[in-house]
Amino acid sequence: MPINQDAQMDACRLDPAAALFHSLSDPIRLKIVKRMAGGEVRVGDLTRELGLAQSTASMHVACLRDCGLVEGRSEGRSVYYSLSRPELMNMLAQAEILLAATGNAVSLCPNYGPDSTTAPMIEVENAR
C-alpha cells in the first residue's frame, strides 16, 4: 500500500471525538466558529472581519462543513454559513471553564503548546 494510503487509512480510523477536537484544533477555525455564533456569515465577510485570504477562509469553512459543524444556505450568488449545531458553543464554553480551572496549563504541554517541537513531527509521521 502506498504511503499516502496508509495515512488515509489512519485518518479513517480516528475516534469520532478525536476527529471533532482535531477539526477545532486550528485557531482560525475557532475564530470562524465564534464569529458564526453571532449569526450567518459569508466567506467574504470572514476575509474582511478576520483578515484572512479568501482561499484560507474557504478552506477552513469547508473543513468545518465537512465535519458537520457548519452548514450553508444559498441566496442568489451568495452562500451564508452558520453553525449547524448550537451545542458546539456550549462545548467551547465548557472548554474555557476547564482552561480557567487548570490555569491554561495546556499551553505548557510539550506536545501541543506554543513552543512545541514534537507536534510538527507527529504531523510528518502521520503523513507517512
Side-chain angles (χ1 to χ4, degrees), residues 96-120:
E96 288 179 8
I97 291 169
L98 179 60
L99 288 170
T102 62
N104 291 314
V106 71
S107 64
L108 301 176
C109 175
N111 292 322
Y112 300 108
D115 296 328
S116 168
T117 57
T118 58

mmCIF file of all heavy atoms in Angstrom, residues 96-120:
data_model
loop_
_atom_site.group_PDB
_atom_site.id
_atom_site.type_symbol
_atom_site.label_atom_id
_atom_site.label_comp_id
_atom_site.label_asym_id
_atom_site.label_seq_id
_atom_site.Cartn_x
_atom_site.Cartn_y
_atom_site.Cartn_z
ATOM 1 N N GLU A 96 -13.540 26.612 27.975
ATOM 2 C CA GLU A 96 -13.000 27.824 28.599
ATOM 3 C C GLU A 96 -13.006 27.702 30.113
ATOM 4 O O GLU A 96 -12.073 28.136 30.787
ATOM 5 C CB GLU A 96 -13.777 29.048 28.134
ATOM 6 C CG GLU A 96 -13.481 29.399 26.693
ATOM 7 C CD GLU A 96 -14.251 30.612 26.187
ATOM 8 O OE1 GLU A 96 -14.918 31.290 26.999
ATOM 9 O OE2 GLU A 96 -14.170 30.871 24.984
ATOM 10 N N ILE A 97 -14.035 27.075 30.673
ATOM 11 C CA ILE A 97 -14.082 26.847 32.121
ATOM 12 C C ILE A 97 -12.946 25.919 32.542
ATOM 13 O O ILE A 97 -12.257 26.176 33.537
ATOM 14 C CB ILE A 97 -15.462 26.278 32.530
ATOM 15 C CG1 ILE A 97 -16.543 27.352 32.349
ATOM 16 C CG2 ILE A 97 -15.437 25.755 33.963
ATOM 17 C CD1 ILE A 97 -17.960 26.829 32.465
ATOM 18 N N LEU A 98 -12.734 24.863 31.773
ATOM 19 C CA LEU A 98 -11.648 23.928 32.074
ATOM 20 C C LEU A 98 -10.295 24.625 31.976
ATOM 21 O O LEU A 98 -9.426 24.431 32.830
ATOM 22 C CB LEU A 98 -11.711 22.725 31.134
ATOM 23 C CG LEU A 98 -10.623 21.673 31.300
ATOM 24 C CD1 LEU A 98 -10.657 21.083 32.716
ATOM 25 C CD2 LEU A 98 -10.782 20.584 30.265
ATOM 26 N N LEU A 99 -10.106 25.432 30.961
ATOM 27 C CA LEU A 99 -8.842 26.165 30.813
ATOM 28 C C LEU A 99 -8.610 27.109 31.992
ATOM 29 O O LEU A 99 -7.492 27.216 32.499
ATOM 30 C CB LEU A 99 -8.826 26.940 29.499
ATOM 31 C CG LEU A 99 -8.680 26.095 28.244
ATOM 32 C CD1 LEU A 99 -8.926 26.940 27.003
ATOM 33 C CD2 LEU A 99 -7.321 25.430 28.202
ATOM 34 N N ALA A 100 -9.659 27.777 32.432
ATOM 35 C CA ALA A 100 -9.535 28.668 33.581
ATOM 36 C C ALA A 100 -9.201 27.871 34.844
ATOM 37 O O ALA A 100 -8.371 28.290 35.654
ATOM 38 C CB ALA A 100 -10.819 29.463 33.773
ATOM 39 N N ALA A 101 -9.826 26.710 35.001
ATOM 40 C CA ALA A 101 -9.602 25.896 36.196
ATOM 41 C C ALA A 101 -8.187 25.329 36.247
ATOM 42 O O ALA A 101 -7.634 25.130 37.328
ATOM 43 C CB ALA A 101 -10.623 24.755 36.251
ATOM 44 N N THR A 102 -7.602 25.058 35.078
ATOM 45 C CA THR A 102 -6.249 24.499 35.039
ATOM 46 C C THR A 102 -5.191 25.579 34.894
ATOM 47 O O THR A 102 -4.006 25.270 34.792
ATOM 48 C CB THR A 102 -6.092 23.506 33.873
ATOM 49 O OG1 THR A 102 -6.301 24.207 32.645
ATOM 50 C CG2 THR A 102 -7.043 22.339 34.008
ATOM 51 N N GLY A 103 -5.625 26.820 34.889
ATOM 52 C CA GLY A 103 -4.660 27.902 34.711
ATOM 53 C C GLY A 103 -4.030 27.881 33.336
ATOM 54 O O GLY A 103 -2.890 28.269 33.154
ATOM 55 N N ASN A 104 -4.773 27.409 32.352
ATOM 56 C CA ASN A 104 -4.286 27.296 30.977
ATOM 57 C C ASN A 104 -3.016 26.455 30.887
ATOM 58 O O ASN A 104 -2.153 26.682 30.048
ATOM 59 C CB ASN A 104 -4.069 28.678 30.355
ATOM 60 C CG ASN A 104 -5.365 29.408 30.121
ATOM 61 O OD1 ASN A 104 -6.319 28.847 29.603
ATOM 62 N ND2 ASN A 104 -5.421 30.670 30.524
ATOM 63 N N ALA A 105 -2.888 25.469 31.784
ATOM 64 C CA ALA A 105 -1.701 24.615 31.816
ATOM 65 C C ALA A 105 -1.458 23.904 30.496
ATOM 66 O O ALA A 105 -0.317 23.566 30.174
ATOM 67 C CB ALA A 105 -1.819 23.595 32.947
ATOM 68 N N VAL A 106 -2.493 23.698 29.726
ATOM 69 C CA VAL A 106 -2.328 23.004 28.446
ATOM 70 C C VAL A 106 -1.368 23.769 27.527
ATOM 71 O O VAL A 106 -0.701 23.166 26.689
ATOM 72 C CB VAL A 106 -3.701 22.752 27.768
ATOM 73 C CG1 VAL A 106 -4.304 24.041 27.251
ATOM 74 C CG2 VAL A 106 -3.577 21.725 26.665
ATOM 75 N N SER A 107 -1.258 25.080 27.711
ATOM 76 C CA SER A 107 -0.327 25.847 26.874
ATOM 77 C C SER A 107 1.121 25.478 27.174
ATOM 78 O O SER A 107 2.014 25.773 26.392
ATOM 79 C CB SER A 107 -0.553 27.351 27.037
ATOM 80 O OG SER A 107 -0.255 27.738 28.367
ATOM 81 N N LEU A 108 1.380 24.810 28.314
ATOM 82 C CA LEU A 108 2.724 24.351 28.653
ATOM 83 C C LEU A 108 2.995 22.939 28.153
ATOM 84 O O LEU A 108 4.097 22.422 28.316
ATOM 85 C CB LEU A 108 2.926 24.405 30.176
ATOM 86 C CG LEU A 108 2.754 25.781 30.807
ATOM 87 C CD1 LEU A 108 2.873 25.670 32.324
ATOM 88 C CD2 LEU A 108 3.755 26.772 30.251
ATOM 89 N N CYS A 109 2.009 22.317 27.555
ATOM 90 C CA CYS A 109 2.139 20.938 27.067
ATOM 91 C C CYS A 109 3.299 20.848 26.073
ATOM 92 O O CYS A 109 3.338 21.601 25.097
ATOM 93 C CB CYS A 109 0.833 20.502 26.404
ATOM 94 S SG CYS A 109 0.924 18.876 25.641
ATOM 95 N N PRO A 110 4.228 19.916 26.302
ATOM 96 C CA PRO A 110 5.364 19.804 25.379
ATOM 97 C C PRO A 110 4.972 19.296 23.993
ATOM 98 O O PRO A 110 5.704 19.501 23.030
ATOM 99 C CB PRO A 110 6.297 18.805 26.078
ATOM 100 C CG PRO A 110 5.413 18.032 27.002
ATOM 101 C CD PRO A 110 4.304 18.969 27.403
ATOM 102 N N ASN A 111 3.812 18.649 23.882
ATOM 103 C CA ASN A 111 3.387 18.134 22.577
ATOM 104 C C ASN A 111 2.583 19.137 21.772
ATOM 105 O O ASN A 111 2.658 19.149 20.549
ATOM 106 C CB ASN A 111 2.565 16.856 22.751
ATOM 107 C CG ASN A 111 3.399 15.715 23.248
ATOM 108 O OD1 ASN A 111 4.547 15.551 22.853
ATOM 109 N ND2 ASN A 111 2.847 14.933 24.141
ATOM 110 N N TYR A 112 1.755 19.953 22.442
ATOM 111 C CA TYR A 112 0.839 20.810 21.695
ATOM 112 C C TYR A 112 0.891 22.276 22.101
ATOM 113 O O TYR A 112 0.176 23.088 21.546
ATOM 114 C CB TYR A 112 -0.599 20.301 21.839
ATOM 115 C CG TYR A 112 -0.731 18.892 21.300
ATOM 116 C CD1 TYR A 112 -0.894 17.810 22.157
ATOM 117 C CD2 TYR A 112 -0.651 18.655 19.939
ATOM 118 C CE1 TYR A 112 -0.980 16.529 21.658
ATOM 119 C CE2 TYR A 112 -0.730 17.376 19.437
ATOM 120 C CZ TYR A 112 -0.895 16.315 20.299
ATOM 121 O OH TYR A 112 -0.983 15.033 19.805
ATOM 122 N N GLY A 113 1.713 22.641 23.075
ATOM 123 C CA GLY A 113 1.840 24.031 23.490
ATOM 124 C C GLY A 113 2.495 24.872 22.403
ATOM 125 O O GLY A 113 3.012 24.346 21.409
ATOM 126 N N PRO A 114 2.504 26.188 22.581
ATOM 127 C CA PRO A 114 3.029 27.077 21.544
ATOM 128 C C PRO A 114 4.515 26.883 21.242
ATOM 129 O O PRO A 114 4.960 27.180 20.148
ATOM 130 C CB PRO A 114 2.753 28.478 22.091
ATOM 131 C CG PRO A 114 2.503 28.300 23.546
ATOM 132 C CD PRO A 114 2.003 26.904 23.728
ATOM 133 N N ASP A 115 5.274 26.365 22.201
ATOM 134 C CA ASP A 115 6.705 26.151 21.984
ATOM 135 C C ASP A 115 7.026 24.712 21.637
ATOM 136 O O ASP A 115 8.180 24.288 21.687
ATOM 137 C CB ASP A 115 7.490 26.561 23.241
ATOM 138 C CG ASP A 115 7.350 28.046 23.518
ATOM 139 O OD1 ASP A 115 7.216 28.819 22.553
ATOM 140 O OD2 ASP A 115 7.356 28.422 24.703
ATOM 141 N N SER A 116 6.013 23.952 21.272
ATOM 142 C CA SER A 116 6.177 22.532 20.995
ATOM 143 C C SER A 116 7.111 22.312 19.814
ATOM 144 O O SER A 116 7.041 22.988 18.801
ATOM 145 C CB SER A 116 4.817 21.918 20.677
ATOM 146 O OG SER A 116 4.982 20.636 20.149
ATOM 147 N N THR A 117 7.979 21.333 19.966
ATOM 148 C CA THR A 117 8.821 20.927 18.847
ATOM 149 C C THR A 117 8.422 19.554 18.339
ATOM 150 O O THR A 117 8.840 19.145 17.281
ATOM 151 C CB THR A 117 10.314 20.887 19.256
ATOM 152 O OG1 THR A 117 10.457 19.999 20.361
ATOM 153 C CG2 THR A 117 10.805 22.279 19.612
ATOM 154 N N THR A 118 7.570 18.847 19.114
ATOM 155 C CA THR A 118 7.198 17.496 18.689
ATOM 156 C C THR A 118 5.926 17.464 17.861
ATOM 157 O O THR A 118 5.726 16.547 17.099
ATOM 158 C CB THR A 118 7.027 16.557 19.903
ATOM 159 O OG1 THR A 118 6.033 17.107 20.757
ATOM 160 C CG2 THR A 118 8.327 16.369 20.626
ATOM 161 N N ALA A 119 5.050 18.474 17.994
ATOM 162 C CA ALA A 119 3.801 18.446 17.249
ATOM 163 C C ALA A 119 4.025 18.386 15.743
ATOM 164 O O ALA A 119 3.398 17.593 15.065
ATOM 165 C CB ALA A 119 2.917 19.633 17.622
ATOM 166 N N PRO A 120 4.964 19.185 15.173
ATOM 167 C CA PRO A 120 5.175 19.051 13.733
ATOM 168 C C PRO A 120 5.675 17.665 13.344
ATOM 169 O O PRO A 120 5.327 17.155 12.307
ATOM 170 C CB PRO A 120 6.227 20.118 13.425
ATOM 171 C CG PRO A 120 6.042 21.135 14.506
ATOM 172 C CD PRO A 120 5.667 20.320 15.726
#
